[in-house]
Amino acid sequence: MKRSDHINSLCCNILNCSFHLNDFRFESGKQNRIMMNSTQVSYFILSTYFDTKMFKYLIFVIIFCLFVVIVGSNVLLIVVICMNRTLHEPMYIFLCILFVNQLLGSTSLFPFLLIQILSDIHIILGPLCFLQVYCVHVYSAIEFFNLTIMSYDRYLAICYPLQYNTLMTFHKVAVFIVSEWLISCLGVCVFTSMSFSLQLCGNIINKVYCNNYSIVKLACSDTTVNNIYGLLSTTLAVVLPVGLILYTYMRILKVCFSGSKQTRQKAVSTCTPHLASLLNFSFGVCFDVLQSRFGTNNGPNVLRIFLSLYFLTCQPLFNPLMYGLKLSKIRSMWRSLFSVKLR
């Protein structure tokens, strides 16, 4: 072989090695960037917000007033129930827990929402996002569990009025309340920690607040376990409670149709607010789940935002008004406190 050919061959080998090394560095750098993106998501971008220009101050005032009304009405009813011994009955104790839970749901949304309305950059830090996910899902689970316990309480009061005091003791009431809070807090803690440990390849959430499934959709790692646990927890926290509520109301209706007029009046007066609350909350949750799972992007943006926030805004406002106006004992307390006759 000639010396010139040997030199050319050597140069070609060096160039090939250089190209392979550059390719390796490029692929390695690409993988490193992917890993950095998936493990160092320190904040999330909420993309559903849109520019309202000068109207943002008007929206801020409206939302703030709504928050004040929700907190004031729920706190007032909690104080009324706690301060009056005549209301220290199982039904009103469960109502008090319902109002406390609605304060949890409202405070997990409204303060953050008010800040975002005035902000030009709609971002939220990662830990705060997962904290909001935890609080919102705990609120939803406790709401369904508490409505289920309330339906069971009404079932015993209407179907077994003579044995009610022995069947629904204060010890049983305490067990129900502690159980619903423990199950909800621990169950939500599990799937929140599972979502927190996911490798994320993005940080854009298509909502105005943090939602667990929206974060799971950003994962670039396997989410099979998250999806299975999500379906299981949804069944236990939503499907099973609603099924038990429907069963108890079937039994209540059976007793009402075969009972006296007084029994029917009692059932209507105590069960109407509960049924209205259940339907109102179920509608809001169903729309939010459908929007998160199937991405219903049709329709005006403002309407989609309102419906996604419905179960967090309207339910805490709806329940105090409904129960405060419908239940006779609470109406009498309103009269004694404010000397106002509510109709």
Side-chain angles (χ1 to χ4, degrees), residues 15 82 88 127 134 138 163 196 230 272 335:
L15 288 173
C82 292
H88 292 180
Y134 180 79
V138 167
Q163 298 92 352
F196 186 79
T272 300
R335 295 191 190 104

Side-chain angles (χ1 to χ4, degrees), residues 127-297:
L128 290 178
C129 185
F130 283 102
L131 177 62
Q132 188 177 49
V133 167
Y134 180 79
C135 292
V136 168
H137 284 80
V138 167
Y139 156 74
S140 301
I142 291 175
E143 193 80 3
F144 274 116
F145 283 141
N146 205 66
L147 289 172
T148 304
I149 295 170
M150 290 173 67
S151 70
Y152 175 69
D153 174 72
R154 292 300 84 204
Y155 163 71
L156 293 180
I158 294 170
C159 298
Y160 302 97
L162 300 178
Q163 298 92 352
Y164 176 75
N165 290 329
T166 56
L167 293 174
M168 185 58 76
T169 62
F170 282 99
H171 174 72
K172 185 179 285 188
V173 170
V175 170
F176 279 142
I177 293 172
V178 172
S179 299
E180 67 175 336
W181 279 87
L182 275 178
I183 292 172
S184 301
C185 292
L186 294 177
V188 174
C189 183
V190 171
F191 75 69
T192 305
S193 60
M194 291 169 62
S195 300
F196 186 79
S197 62
L198 287 173
Q199 292 183 344
L200 305 179
C201 292
N203 64 344
I204 298 177
I205 296 176
N206 295 320
K207 295 183 79 69
V208 295
Y209 66 96
C210 289
N211 172 273
N212 183 67
Y213 188 70
S214 299
I215 295 175
V216 172
K217 288 195 296 186
L218 298 174
C220 50
S221 56
D222 186 27
T223 60
T224 303
V225 178
N226 298 73
N227 291 327
I228 292 174
Y229 186 82
L231 292 173
L232 180 63
S233 60
T234 301
T235 302
L236 294 176
V238 179
V239 179
L240 183 61
V242 171
L244 291 174
I245 292 172
L246 294 177
Y247 173 76
T248 56
Y249 272 100
M250 288 174 61
R251 299 293 300 272
I252 290 172
L253 288 174
K254 183 179 179 181
V255 170
C256 289
F257 283 121
S258 60
S260 62
K261 182 179 179 180
Q262 185 179 2
T263 303
R264 288 194 294 271
Q265 289 177 345
K266 180 182 178 181
V268 170
S269 63
T270 59
C271 294
T272 300
H274 180 268
L275 272 177
S277 176
L278 175 66
L279 293 174
N280 185 63
F281 188 69
S282 298
F283 166 77
V285 170
C286 285
F287 185 86
D288 184 66
V289 170
L290 290 174
Q291 187 182 42
S292 298
R293 292 277 175 175
F294 303 106
T296 54
N297 295 322

Side-chain angles (χ1 to χ4, degrees), residues 50-62 117-118 120:
F50 58 93
D51 186 17
T52 54
K53 299 179 180 179
M54 295 303 295
F55 287 105
K56 67 181 179 181
Y57 299 105
L58 176 61
I59 296 172
F60 177 88
V61 172
I62 294 173
I117 288 172
L118 294 180
D120 294 327

